[in-house]
Amino acid sequence: MTDKAKAEKAVELLEKEYPDAVCSLVYTDPLQLLIATRLAAQCTDKRVNMVTPALFGRFPTAEAFAEAKVGDIEELIKSCGLYKTKAKDISAMAKMLCAEYNGIVPDTIEELVRLPGIGRKTANLVVGDIFGKPAVVVDTHCIRITSRLGFHNIKDPVRIEKILRPLLPAEKSNDFCHRLVIHGRAVCTARKAFCENCCLKDICDHFSNTLSSN
């Protein structure tokens, strides 16, 4: 089986296993998703969702964030960890959005990664979820599972994105990555791969290697 055929099969199997593929972060507009994703770095989505209602209630627009004192942002996001760096990034991001984009979140990866604190993972999530463009969100679950499947043996998210983009159906790539998060939390965990419960085991290198070594 070619890597492209395997990728298409993985998409099909995960669609069947997890028909509802949605981002677990709660948001109502592009700015909220952008900021929530920045807060989610080294923090659980559950914790971020507990913090953001008060944060967005206090600062509902890019202009409000841009005018806010960094210390006021810090106070509202303290429980997310790395809060000083995150608050500084959010403030700088909002100021750049206001100065260069009229407070509107841009719709391309190239423009989004120019914003302070925004990398390709966040940029892909925003263009995929908000603007409906092909996206490959390479988070820890994506790195781990696609490695176990046999698509690569590296850790570099940018290189992995370049490997996966031509393999995945463009219109399904973003939802595929959401499903990898669900699968990575439930079955193919960092601690252990529960292969006996895995819908991908028949196309998985890790599973076949485990069988051959027993």
Side-chain angles (χ1 to χ4, degrees):
M1 182 182 287
T2 66
D3 279 354
K4 188 166 183 60
K6 181 190 281 191
E8 291 172 352
K9 186 65 177 177
V11 168
E12 177 190 331
L13 291 169
L14 287 173
E15 280 181 343
K16 184 176 179 181
E17 188 76 6
Y18 311 105
D20 300 318
V22 295
C23 178
S24 54
L25 293 168
V26 176
Y27 63 93
T28 60
D29 61 45
L31 179 67
Q32 290 189 3
L33 179 59
L34 192 66
I35 291 173
T37 308
R38 180 66 189 94
L39 292 175
Q42 298 184 35
C43 179
T44 65
D45 291 355
K46 182 178 179 181
R47 168 57 57 183
V48 173
N49 289 338
M50 293 170 65
V51 166
T52 50
L55 180 68
F56 298 144
R58 176 84 176 274
F59 307 114
T61 64
E63 290 79 9
F65 274 108
E67 293 169 2
K69 294 179 181 178
V70 173
D72 290 341
I73 299 173
E74 287 178 358
E75 283 300 315
L76 289 166
I77 66 170
K78 257 185 179 176
S79 63
C80 287
L82 303 174
Y83 68 94
K84 287 186 176 294
T85 299
K86 291 176 181 178
K88 182 180 176 182
D89 283 345
I90 290 169
S91 175
M93 175 203 311
K95 288 175 180 175
M96 186 172 176
L97 284 172
C98 292
E100 299 190 27
Y101 299 99
N102 295 317
I104 298 170
V105 175
D107 64 355
T108 69
I109 291 173
E110 292 72 25
E111 289 177 300
L112 284 164
V113 296
R114 294 183 60 238
L115 298 171
I118 301 303
R120 290 191 68 86
K121 182 180 80 171
T122 298
N124 269 283
L125 181 63
V126 170
V127 300
D129 273 27
I130 296 294
F131 300 109
K133 296 183 177 183
V136 179
V137 182
V138 183
D139 64 359
T140 56
H141 299 291
C142 179
I143 292 171
R144 179 176 69 255
I145 297 171
T146 55
S147 174
R148 286 175 178 172
L149 285 169
F151 292 117
H152 61 83
N153 58 0
I154 57 177
K155 300 289 187 182
D156 183 343
V158 176
R159 288 174 63 197
I160 293 169
E161 181 188 334
K162 288 180 179 178
I163 289 169
L164 294 178
R165 271 193 182 274
L167 300 179
L168 294 167
E171 73 281 4
K172 296 187 175 184
S173 58
N174 191 52
D175 285 347
F176 172 76
C177 293
H178 283 321
R179 291 185 173 101
L180 288 181
V181 173
I182 301 169
H183 193 63
R185 288 172 177 164
V187 179
C188 195
T189 70
R191 184 175 60 84
K192 180 183 177 183
F194 295 92
C195 298
E196 66 278 7
N197 300 324
C198 182
C199 62
L200 301 174
K201 63 185 177 184
D202 290 341
I203 59 169
C204 180
D205 283 10
H206 176 79
F207 178 65
S208 61
N209 291 338
T210 302
L211 280 181
S212 62
S213 64
N214 290 339

